[in-house]
């Protein structure tokens, strides 16, 4: 995680807003962690980013341009979540889904933050246990991702397909087959044109 964050830090003076905003946000988060004498662990970054995301959404700051805060938060969250312990993600699942799942419709026209969201969800789906996969919010989010597998934009489509592939390849223990496998097969049959 530190290697990825180190690549972002120098961009606080960048003239490109999509580089400067995440770097500035990261600097602010790290300053807060230092001031509160909190170790810079993946869990600490995760908690700080979830709090920032919640605050951003409560302020209705949902602009999705290159220099806006919401895409920067999603980008950093997608970067940090793969390093967060699975139990932390599982215990914060309802918060995570309640903050991010409603963003899918507004992200559909903005490929970079949508790709960040898909990267975030890829990590989420690979950490869930069987009971969490049955919750309506998780099932609906997965259905949204399936639809993105048909997106016209190659990078978005690839990220969605990779997410589905990763999720199906990592069924919750002790299962050998993912509970969504049959659903995905049916969706593929219905979605792909017959030859």
């Amino acid at each position: 995680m530190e290697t990825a964050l180190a690549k972002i830090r120098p961009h606080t003076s960048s003239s490109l807003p999509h580089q400067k905003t995440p770097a500035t946000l990261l600097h602010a988060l790290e300053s807060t962690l230092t001031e509160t004498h909190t170790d810079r662990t993946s869990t600490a970054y995760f908690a700080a980013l979830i709090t920032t995301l919640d605050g951003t959404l409560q302020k209705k700051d949902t602009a999705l341009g290159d220099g806006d805060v919401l895409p920067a938060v999603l980008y950093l969250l997608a970067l940090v979540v793969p390093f967060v312990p699975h139990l932390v993600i599982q215990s914060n699942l309802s918060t995570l889904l309640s903050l991010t799942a409603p963003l899918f419709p507004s992200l559909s026209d903005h490929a970079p933050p949508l790709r960040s969201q898909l990267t975030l969800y890829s990590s989420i789906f690979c950490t869930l246990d069987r009971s969490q996969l049955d919750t309506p919010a998780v099932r609906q989010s997965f259905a949204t991702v399936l639809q993105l597998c048909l997106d016209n934009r190659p990078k978005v489509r690839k990220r969605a397909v990779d997410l589905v592939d990763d999720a199906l390849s990592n069924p919750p223990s002790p299962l050998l087959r993912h509970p969504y496998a049959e659903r995905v097969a049916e969706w593929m049959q219905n979605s792909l044109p017959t030859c």
Side-chain angles (χ1 to χ4, degrees):
M1 178 181 78
E2 181 55 35
T3 304
L5 294 177
K7 292 177 183 175
I8 296 170
R9 288 186 189 107
H11 294 291
T12 54
S13 59
S14 174
S15 61
L16 302 172
H18 71 279
Q19 290 179 342
K20 183 176 184 170
T21 305
T24 304
L25 177 59
L26 179 61
H27 183 312
L29 291 174
E30 290 178 337
S31 294
T32 301
L33 293 176
T34 301
E35 289 170 11
T36 58
H37 306 289
T38 305
D39 290 337
R40 292 183 179 185
T41 64
S42 59
T43 303
Y45 281 103
F46 176 73
L49 286 164
I50 290 296
T51 302
T52 304
L53 179 60
D54 186 33
T56 301
L57 294 174
Q58 283 185 18
K59 288 191 272 182
K60 307 268 191 252
D61 186 4
T62 57
L64 294 166
D66 279 348
D68 293 316
V69 174
L70 184 56
V73 173
L74 290 173
Y75 176 73
L76 291 174
L77 204 51
L79 189 76
V80 168
V81 165
F83 302 99
V84 176
H86 291 188
L87 288 175
V88 174
I89 294 173
Q90 290 175 348
S91 64
N92 289 284
L93 181 64
S94 63
T95 302
L96 202 50
L97 291 178
S98 69
L99 292 173
T100 59
L103 296 175
F104 271 116
S106 58
L107 292 175
S108 65
D109 292 335
H110 304 277
L114 179 58
R115 290 194 311 267
S116 294
Q117 174 109 327
L118 289 170
T119 301
L120 170 64
Y121 271 71
S122 183
S123 295
I124 292 171
F125 280 116
C126 289
T127 64
L128 301 181
D129 62 30
R130 173 73 170 112
S131 64
Q132 290 172 316
L133 288 169
D134 289 333
T135 61
V138 172
R139 292 175 71 83
Q140 179 57 47
S141 296
F142 194 79
T144 301
V145 170
L146 278 178
Q147 292 306 314
L148 290 170
C149 290
L150 298 175
D151 196 274
N152 292 331
R153 297 163 291 187
K155 290 180 181 178
V156 171
R157 185 174 57 246
K158 181 178 179 354
R159 191 74 50 100
V161 168
D162 288 347
L163 185 160
V164 171
D165 183 42
D166 289 346
L168 295 182
S169 299
N170 295 294
S173 191
L175 300 176
L176 298 175
R177 184 174 176 207
H178 199 283
Y180 290 175
E182 188 174 321
R183 181 179 174 190
V184 171
E186 289 173 10
W187 175 83
M188 286 175 59
Q189 267 187 327
N190 295 332
S191 299
L192 298 176
T194 56
C195 296

